[in-house]
Amino acid sequence: MCGIVGYIGYGNAGDIIIEGLKKLEYRGYDSSGIAVIKDGKIEVRKQKGRISNLETAVENEHFNSTVGIGHTRWATHGAPSDANAHPHISMDKTIAIVHNGIIENYTELREWLTKDLGVIFTSETDSEVIAHLISLYYDGSLEDAVYKAVEKMRGAYGIGVLCSKEPDKIVAVRKDSPLIIGLGDGCNFIASDIPALLKHVRSIYLIENNETVVLTRNEVKIYNADRKEVKRDVFHVTWDEDAAEKDGFDHFMLKEIHEQPKGLFETLNRRLDKNGNILLDGISMTKQDLEKFDRVYIVACGTAYHAGMVGKFIIERFAKIPVEVDVASEFRYRDPFIDDKTLFIAISQSGETLDTLAALREAKKKGARILSVVNVVGSSVARESDDVFYTWAGPEIAVASTKAYTTQLMCMYLIALYVGYTKGVLAPDLYNEYIRELKFIPDKLKTLLKTEGDILEAAKGLYKKEQVFFIGRGPDASVSLEGSLKLKEISYINSFAIAAGELKHGTIALIEQGSLVIALATQDRLFEKMLSNIQEVKARGAYVIGLAKEGNKEIEKQADKVFYIPDCPDDLTPLLSVVPLQLLAYEIAKLRGCDIDKPKNLAKSVTVE
Ligand code: M6R
């Protein structure tokens, strides 16, 4: 949520920063801005709207500056506007800041600064207090002033600061918001995420909570909360720049949907040894640990939470441990029962989702063992966990999550199979059979992706609908939730998912002539029950699209249109059945002319509560 970039070197700071911001636009895109130091003065340019607006606004300006900071915003305090866009500057115009996060006590700070010190605010943001505080405490050392300002603040922040009196320096600080440092040759960078820096550097420092960083052109120094200098290992990024490019696809979302076979192959095969057994390399849980766990909590947000719901189903089935799944924002405030016999699984693509991180910390405090399923290597969730099970999806740029979801599912299967087998509650032949079936999934998915054309055709008849219902049973009910989320977040169609058996307990009242119902019926043992549910909505005038396994033709008698997925065991269908739903959401959103990769009001990484 919000992206920050800073540069100090010998190149054109304005160009480098705007280019970096464009790569972070998925983090927020309602306004953007840059500040550079030129001839000893801070120059700020900011614009409401997409970064292209800012780019156009500064097109003919040649800042000729070699140091600056920039920001792309997702509004929290104050509407998207030029005035509320970052950077914010102090009254004397000597300090400029960019901020990602929320300053929780900003009202009291603002009141104090206004009433007692006569500060005049020019925006409605919480962030502006930071610039005024740093200016208030400035006495010849920018880092000293930043330390003092930070002591006054509560909340979450990744902040970059410029000071016109120290033009050869950037100071940055973080707490609960991501911050990385890019290490160049004669230049250094700050950023909230790796894609911003890929064009320039591969060596980075991952900054920890409560650390402050002082950057000059040739040096980066990191200090902890006690102001002691700390050494940090260099983290080498292995992605190439292309991984964060569209590669000929119209949208990142479509590219990422098509990358799922590869992501699943990698996530599976990196966890199999040469005999085909699951290998939890680098994960320190022993057989005794596994036997000790008497419950599992899976906690996550959004799409990752939906992957956790399938995880519950699978872990209970294969590993015979009771599992609770919760959304992180609820879990962290409900005082759940946790002790050292609890295995806590956090799922997060970004590894920076604030609620997930806070829930993880809560569980850790109470003694749980923390295993995280994370895509971004070195992210906060990964660093704060006892063990990490990485998804190998590669960078996910589209706001709507697709390949992260299916690779998270793959991790759920591997964890469930491993725990069940190691504890001796899953028979070896079943364990082997499921691994064999998992190996077929990437190729089955490639075949399934070839039906994209049929889905586009169907979308042409559906894209004007204003309401869609998704129904399913067992794992299909969880996948329905994800299908519904995909559709609503990118097409803005009001969609709703419900366990098919629940329909008649209220929601069926909404079904009328022409209502669109998408019915997932991939479970052999629940197939007939689903056919009855389809009949119930058909009887009330619904238009039904069915989703079934190849060969289950019976559904054609009930549904108006059917999409098929390749045959596979019932337990594994979520890995396939979500894909037609992703494609349908994509095609519908495209036909409606929506901004697919950057849906309104959303941001990729939610680093505020
Ligand atoms: O980075 P995370 O996986 O922790 O993000 C959690 C949710 O914000 C995320 O899954 C969100 O729901 C998706 N972008 C929706 O497609």
Side-chain angles (χ1 to χ4, degrees):
M1 211 139 258
C2 300
I4 63 178
V5 181
Y7 168 79
I8 181 161
Y10 296 98
N12 184 323
D15 292 348
I16 293 169
I17 291 167
I18 290 181
E19 188 182 66
L21 288 177
K22 283 203 227 153
K23 304 282 186 220
L24 290 191
E25 207 172 14
Y26 62 85
R27 299 183 66 89
Y29 33 83
D30 59 47
S31 55
S32 60
I34 59 167
V36 297
I37 302 181
K38 188 183 169 194
D39 302 330
K41 287 202 179 110
I42 290 181
E43 300 258 355
V44 178
R45 300 288 181 276
K46 39 195 204 172
Q47 284 281 317
K48 181 180 167 183
R50 298 289 162 89
I51 292 169
S52 52
N53 295 7
L54 174 71
E55 213 178 3
T56 311
V58 301
E59 208 165 33
N60 297 318
E61 300 199 47
H62 301 289
F63 290 119
N64 264 345
S65 167
T66 56
V67 55
I69 51 178
H71 187 269
T72 178
R73 179 170 186 247
W74 185 87
T76 57
H77 297 64
S81 68
D82 291 356
N84 289 335
H86 298 215
H88 293 289
I89 54 170
S90 58
M91 276 173 72
D92 63 2
K93 301 189 170 27
T94 59
I95 302 288
I97 66 100
V98 285
H99 167 224
N100 170 23
I102 288 182
I103 305 304
E104 284 166 359
N105 58 338
Y106 89 101
T107 318
E108 91 200 34
L109 290 171
R110 190 172 171 130
E111 217 170 279
W112 171 59
L113 287 163
T114 313
K115 287 200 182 133
D116 296 5
L117 300 163
V119 171
I120 297 167
F121 280 76
T122 57
S123 77
E124 303 156 283
T125 63
D126 55 330
S127 311
E128 192 183 339
V129 297
I130 304 168
H132 298 305
L133 282 174
I134 296 173
S135 163
L136 174 70
Y137 294 123
Y138 188 78
D139 189 18
S141 159
L142 183 57
E143 49 272 42
D144 285 355
V146 170
Y147 271 114
K148 287 183 186 142
V150 157
E151 275 171 13
K152 285 270 177 197
M153 294 171 353
R154 281 201 313 274
Y157 44 81
I159 302 171
V161 192
L162 286 186
C163 174
S164 59
K165 295 179 185 161
E166 297 179 68
D168 299 312
K169 187 190 272 183
I170 296 177
V171 175
V173 60
R174 77 155 275 195
K175 178 177 168 279
D176 294 338
S177 276
L179 180 68
I180 60 167
I181 304 296
L183 306 167
D185 190 9
C187 62
N188 290 303
F189 301 78
I190 64 169
S192 21
D193 206 351
I194 293 170
L197 307 185
L198 283 178
K199 181 159 184 201
H200 305 281
V201 292
R202 287 286 185 285
S203 301
I204 63 172
Y205 286 148
L206 302 168
I207 302 306
E208 302 282 355
N209 255 348
N210 301 311
E211 287 182 341
T212 304
V213 192
V214 180
L215 298 91
T216 59
R217 288 179 178 78
N218 295 309
E219 199 171 51
V220 172
K221 291 195 169 195
I222 307 174
Y223 300 93
N224 65 16
D226 301 326
R227 307 196 59 174
K228 297 226 167 62
E229 191 177 343
V230 288
K231 292 283 162 228
R232 182 66 28 87
D233 290 340
V234 174
F235 175 82
H236 294 284
V237 181
T238 49
W239 312 339
D240 54 12
E241 226 191 311
D242 294 349
E245 296 298 334
K246 276 190 233 160
D247 219 8
F249 286 91
D250 286 351
H251 296 94
F252 278 112
M253 183 180 176
L254 189 60
K255 176 189 174 225
E256 289 161 6
I257 289 173
H258 280 268
E259 284 173 342
Q260 293 178 106
K262 180 166 181 273
L264 287 173
F265 178 88
E266 293 291 331
T267 305
L268 172 64
N269 284 283
R270 284 172 188 267
R271 288 289 177 196
L272 295 182
D273 67 14
K274 59 179 188 316
N275 300 318
N277 285 314
I278 300 170
L279 183 74
L280 291 199
D281 222 9
I283 293 181
S284 54
M285 276 184 301
T286 59
K287 184 167 188 273
Q288 286 72 21
D289 290 331
L290 296 181
E291 274 160 359
K292 186 178 82 175
F293 298 134
D294 61 4
R295 84 187 70 94
V296 176
Y297 278 99
I298 304 181
V299 176
C301 302
T303 289
Y305 165 68
H306 296 156
M309 292 180 79
V310 177
K312 169 184 166 71
F313 181 85
I314 297 302
I315 294 173
E316 287 185 340
R317 194 158 146 62
F318 292 159
K320 311 282 180 233
I321 310 179
V323 181
E324 269 204 53
V325 200
D326 209 347
V327 285
S329 53
E330 288 300 313
F331 175 90
R332 60 184 289 201
Y333 293 115
R334 79 172 162 89
D335 196 17
F337 185 80
I338 286 178
D339 61 17
D340 64 348
K341 294 203 256 341
T342 306
L343 174 63
F344 178 95
I345 304 181
I347 309 180
S348 176
Q349 186 283 130
S350 62
E352 299 295 348
T353 301
L354 189 66
D355 282 321
T356 306
L357 197 54
L360 177 160
R361 289 178 184 150
E362 189 65 26
K364 202 170 185 175
K365 242 192 310 182
K366 292 183 169 171
R369 177 68 169 255
I370 315 291
L371 170 65
S372 61
V373 172
V374 175
N375 194 39
V376 177
V377 178
S379 56
S380 301
V381 170
R383 279 180 285 156
E384 296 193 26
S385 300
D386 296 312
D387 293 295
V388 188
F389 199 120
Y390 281 111
T391 49
W392 284 86
E396 192 180 64
I397 307 290
V399 166
S401 188
T402 53
K403 59 178 181 170
Y405 174 77
T406 41
T407 52
Q408 285 160 356
L409 291 184
M410 181 60 88
C411 295
M412 292 291 110
Y413 287 105
L414 293 172
I415 291 169
L417 289 170
Y418 179 84
V419 176
Y421 179 66
T422 310
K423 280 176 56 185
V425 293
L426 178 69
D429 52 341
L430 268 182
Y431 167 81
N432 287 323
E433 188 188 322
Y434 274 103
I435 293 176
R436 196 169 47 245
E437 289 290 346
L438 282 174
K439 287 187 191 161
F440 293 136
I441 293 287
D443 281 338
K444 288 185 179 176
L445 196 43
K446 279 188 198 156
T447 309
L448 181 57
L449 283 166
K450 291 189 185 135
T451 61
E452 199 179 341
D454 301 343
I455 292 174
L456 170 60
E457 275 315 303
K460 286 181 185 160
L462 304 173
Y463 75 98
K464 291 192 178 143
K465 297 272 180 200
E466 285 308 328
Q467 184 158 267
V468 179
F469 299 87
F470 288 78
I471 58 173
R473 287 171 173 264
D476 281 348
S478 307
V479 177
S480 295
L481 285 165
E482 178 55 11
S484 168
L485 177 63
K486 281 301 80 96
L487 185 67
K488 75 180 108 181
E489 71 179 324
I490 60 168
S491 74
Y492 317 137
I493 293 176
N494 183 10
S495 84
F496 190 85
I498 186 163
E502 262 300 285
L503 203 59
K504 54 185 155 304
H505 298 287
T507 307
I508 202 162
L510 294 172
I511 304 289
E512 56 190 19
Q513 194 62 37
S515 293
L516 174 58
V517 175
I518 299 182
L520 280 71
T522 70
Q523 303 295 295
D524 290 341
R525 68 196 168 94
L526 299 167
F527 190 64
E528 284 180 358
K529 305 245 172 278
M530 273 308 295
L531 293 188
S532 306
N533 295 132
I534 292 174
Q535 270 178 349
E536 285 158 13
V537 293
K538 283 289 295 173
R540 285 152 183 90
Y543 178 86
V544 177
I545 295 193
L547 184 68
K549 280 197 279 199
E550 239 163 35
N552 281 351
K553 292 250 181 239
E554 200 54 23
I555 192 170
E556 288 176 16
K557 293 189 190 142
Q558 313 292 341
D560 296 284
K561 167 125 204 84
V562 183
F563 296 135
Y564 289 103
I565 59 168
D567 194 17
C568 72
D570 273 12
D571 295 316
L572 304 189
T573 59
L575 289 162
L576 300 171
S577 58
V578 73
V579 176
L581 307 185
Q582 296 168 341
L583 285 168
L584 188 66
Y586 173 81
E587 299 295 358
I588 287 178
K590 198 167 163 194
L591 288 163
R592 287 167 75 96
C594 299
D595 191 347
I596 292 177
D597 284 338
K598 299 189 191 84
K600 70 173 190 266
N601 303 338
L602 295 177
K604 181 72 180 160
S605 176
V606 184
T607 51
V608 294
E609 267 198 63

